[in-house]
Amino acid sequence: MFVVFSNAHAIADYLTDHIAQQIRTKPTTSLGLATGSTMEPIYARLLQRIQAEALDLSQITTFNLDEYIGLAPDHPQSYFYFMQHHLFAAVGLQPGQVHLPCGVCSDAEQECQDYAAKLARVGGLDIQLLGIGSNGHIGFNEPGTPFDSRTHVVALSEKTRRDNGRFFERFEDVPTHAITMGIAEILSAKEIFLVATGRHKADIMARLYESGIDEQLPASALKQHAHLRVLVDEAAAELLPTHVKTVV
């Protein structure tokens, strides 16, 4: 389950190869995307590959995991802005191809229902990329989230808000709520890649390895998935037992 790479760039190369081959094989591929610093080298390498090979993206669709409530799409810390900056604009994806929850909709609960319906219509994403929070959250599914959850509004934990506070000028500016894809929707993907890089992720990787399937550790739900790969660099793998690591 755990695959260890020398560094984050090696993980990016591996994932880029896989995603590019998936798109060539199935031009109508649906991709589940994540945001955050872990994803930046992945999207940078994917962008290079798309441009170098003139990969046809005209039929793909993308679905992002989450969005902050209260941030407009043009806010520099919104996840829509992140995706536009790191991938969407540069590869020319059209508005109808990309899907993110709306952070400034008038009815957040209705937005959740609408987003869940869009996900249901694709019948499960082909590939889902995930990062992991220091408390084990995936998407913004905080500890205690039911594993059968679908797209919902979540109150962000103090730990998550402090972890994400480095992206905002003041802690007070960090949103308190978000809309997130649910765990059941994440698990419906055909393939899941959980990526963790850096020594600061070593503790949660060890906890994930040691844990049973427990709603207090949202990422442990992934252990039920038949096609899960956990991709870590050497720093994030530091506390994992040697015998569980496949090194490439």
Side-chain angles (χ1 to χ4, degrees):
M1 181 172 74
F2 292 89
V3 185
V4 183
F5 296 79
S6 58
N7 53 50
H9 296 292
I11 294 174
D13 287 341
Y14 172 85
L15 276 173
T16 293
D17 288 345
H18 189 82
I19 293 170
Q21 182 58 42
Q22 168 70 29
I23 294 171
R24 284 192 294 266
T25 302
K26 183 184 178 185
T28 58
T29 286
S30 55
L31 298 174
L33 302 179
T35 53
S37 56
T38 301
M39 296 295 142
E40 290 182 14
I42 296 168
Y43 295 146
R45 185 69 185 94
L46 182 59
L47 173 57
Q48 291 174 354
R49 175 66 66 86
I50 289 167
Q51 293 175 335
E53 298 184 4
L55 202 60
D56 181 8
L57 305 183
S58 62
Q59 298 181 71
I60 74 163
T61 53
T62 70
F63 288 83
N64 267 75
L65 285 165
D66 41 31
E67 180 60 280
Y68 288 118
I69 290 179
L71 298 191
D74 60 354
H75 189 288
Q77 298 307 327
S78 77
Y79 291 151
F80 183 89
Y81 186 97
F82 178 99
M83 293 306 306
Q84 284 291 106
H85 177 71
H86 288 285
L87 188 64
F88 292 164
V91 299
L93 292 183
Q94 300 303 305
Q97 292 181 266
V98 302
H99 304 85
L100 292 92
C102 175
V104 290
C105 53
S106 59
D107 186 337
E109 293 297 339
Q110 185 61 53
E111 177 67 13
C112 291
Q113 294 178 32
D114 293 345
Y115 202 68
K118 292 174 186 176
L119 284 162
R121 282 196 290 271
V122 302
L125 302 169
D126 290 299
I127 293 174
Q128 177 67 63
L129 300 182
L130 295 173
I132 184 170
S134 60
N135 64 357
H137 72 245
I138 49 175
F140 270 134
N141 293 289
E142 298 282 19
T145 302
F147 286 169
D148 62 355
S149 62
R150 299 195 178 275
T151 305
H152 60 283
V153 173
V154 60
L156 302 178
S157 70
E158 184 80 0
K159 175 63 173 169
T160 295
R161 292 185 69 231
R162 292 206 174 275
D163 285 350
N164 290 0
R166 67 188 187 278
F167 300 114
F168 293 82
E169 289 188 9
R170 303 178 305 162
F171 178 70
E172 293 77 13
D173 296 331
V174 182
T176 59
H177 290 74
I179 293 175
T180 185
M181 193 185 296
I183 293 176
E185 291 157 332
I186 292 170
L187 291 176
S188 71
K190 297 175 180 65
E191 291 186 288
I192 298 176
F193 294 92
L194 176 65
V195 183
T197 56
R199 179 58 183 80
H200 64 294
K201 293 296 176 71
D203 289 338
I204 191 59
M205 285 295 97
R207 186 179 167 206
L208 177 61
Y209 166 70
E210 294 165 359
S211 173
I213 297 173
D214 182 354
E215 289 183 350
Q216 292 307 310
L217 183 62
S220 69
L222 303 174
K223 293 185 174 186
Q224 305 172 78
H225 199 280
H227 299 287
L228 165 70
R229 271 162 279 185
V230 182
L231 312 182
V232 293
D233 65 2
E234 291 178 353
E238 187 174 306
L239 302 180
L240 293 174
T242 302
H243 70 276
V244 307
K245 300 183 289 189
T246 301
V247 181
V248 297

